[in-house]
Amino acid sequence: MLSSVEILILAAIQGISEFLPVSSAAHLFLVAHYSVFNIQSLLIDICLHLGSLLAIIAYFIKDLISLVKNKDFLIKILLATMPIVPIGYLFYQTGLINSLRNIEVIAWMSLIFAILLYFSDKTKVSEKLGANFSIKSAIIIGLFQVISLIPGVSRSGITITAGRILGFDRFDSTKISFFLAIPALSAASILGIYNVYKEGSPELNFIAIIAVIFSFIFSYMTIALFLNFVKKFSLSIFVIYRVILSLILLTIVYL
């Protein structure tokens, strides 16, 4: 059974990497694969995602209240979410998501989508979120988000990439990514809570609570810092990080 220290480490990885364009699923898998952790399952991943979800809600509470009143924008967010929920459920139920959780897939996805992120970040800003976030834009970003079900792609990275391709600036693209994370993480968290309840293990329930709390703290801090970062800097540092990580992993896989 995972210790509190191990949960703290996983929560830090989840909270930080969930909102940066580097793939939290990939990092959680790699740490588990190359560590002496006793357990690292999809269930624990989901519990950590719940902490990230609560952090988004807490940070953007004022925006979310306004979002509820802005039915047009809310509908677009829901439309953008529609593709990933059923496909994600299908991936989970069929076990396909587990078969994709391997180093080779993570390495290639990290490299390919790092390159795509780099070129998309060069797109000239031509759209404003408030005025130009259309139904078409929402659907396109939503379809891009489906790709993030593959470990190594990064949900944050692919939605920011889609936003930049469509002409939104880094800050607006990041905000779209955060808003889209709410329904996607909600669906995953509900499934995770159900599984924790089904297990009926007090120890597992305690671990889930600790994971949520730690993940919330790290996630909240990351959201605040990343939003300030994208106002001032490009995403090149994340591209470089992903390329280096992918090359190291590809070396391990093929040599």
Side-chain angles (χ1 to χ4, degrees):
M1 189 61 66
L2 287 171
S3 68
S4 295
V5 174
E6 290 169 334
I7 285 293
L8 175 63
I9 294 171
L10 290 175
I13 295 169
Q14 162 62 28
I16 294 171
S17 61
E18 174 66 33
F19 302 108
L20 302 182
V22 296
S23 179
S24 61
H27 283 74
L28 288 167
F29 173 81
L30 291 173
V31 168
H33 187 79
Y34 289 108
S35 73
V36 294
F37 286 12
N38 298 318
I39 301 176
Q40 210 290 295
S41 66
L42 186 61
L43 178 59
I44 295 297
D45 287 1
I46 294 172
C47 292
L48 294 173
H49 277 76
L50 177 58
S52 295
L53 170 63
L54 295 175
I56 298 177
I57 293 173
Y59 190 89
F60 289 105
I61 187 64
K62 292 183 179 179
D63 294 84
L64 293 175
I65 292 173
S66 299
L67 191 61
V68 171
K69 296 178 181 178
N70 186 348
K71 293 182 179 180
D72 181 62
F73 193 84
L74 179 60
I75 289 172
K76 291 170 185 173
I77 291 295
L78 293 176
L79 282 174
T81 304
M82 287 178 65
I84 197 172
V85 174
I87 297 176
Y89 180 77
L90 181 65
F91 270 44
Y92 181 84
Q93 289 298 108
T94 60
L96 180 59
I97 196 167
N98 288 318
S99 65
L100 291 171
R101 288 156 67 88
N102 63 73
I103 299 173
E104 187 173 7
V105 170
I106 290 172
W108 281 112
M109 292 302 99
S110 182
L111 178 60
I112 292 170
F113 288 97
I115 295 171
L116 183 59
L117 177 64
Y118 173 79
F119 285 107
S120 69
D121 199 38
K122 301 298 182 182
T123 303
K124 183 178 179 181
V125 176
S126 60
E127 309 289 343
K128 289 296 181 181
L129 181 60
N132 303 106
F133 186 53
S134 63
I135 290 177
K136 180 181 177 181
S137 297
I139 293 174
I140 290 174
I141 294 174
L143 291 173
F144 267 80
Q145 186 177 215
V146 172
I147 307 172
S148 69
L149 290 169
I150 305 172
V153 173
S154 170
R155 192 205 57 79
S156 172
I158 198 64
T159 50
I160 291 174
T161 294
R164 295 292 289 120
I165 289 174
L166 291 171
F168 296 103
D169 64 26
R170 294 185 193 98
F171 185 79
D172 283 346
S173 297
T174 302
K175 284 196 72 173
I176 294 172
S177 174
F178 286 157
F179 286 143
L180 287 181
I182 295 174
L185 291 177
S186 295
S189 298
I190 290 170
L191 182 60
I193 292 171
Y194 170 73
N195 283 324
V196 170
Y197 174 77
K198 189 168 63 174
E199 286 284 338
S201 168
E203 188 172 6
L204 182 58
N205 289 335
F206 173 73
I207 287 175
I209 293 171
I210 295 298
V212 169
I213 293 172
F214 285 159
S215 179
F216 174 89
I217 294 171
F218 285 108
S219 295
Y220 193 93
M221 292 170 56
T222 302
I223 292 169
L225 292 173
F226 188 47
L227 281 173
N228 284 326
F229 179 90
V230 295
K231 289 179 181 177
K232 304 173 183 177
F233 306 103
S234 74
L235 300 173
S236 295
I237 188 172
F238 301 107
V239 173
I240 294 170
Y241 171 78
R242 290 181 61 144
V243 169
I244 293 174
L245 175 64
S246 65
L247 292 178
I248 292 173
L249 295 177
L250 288 171
T251 300
I252 293 172
V253 171
Y254 294 113
L255 293 182

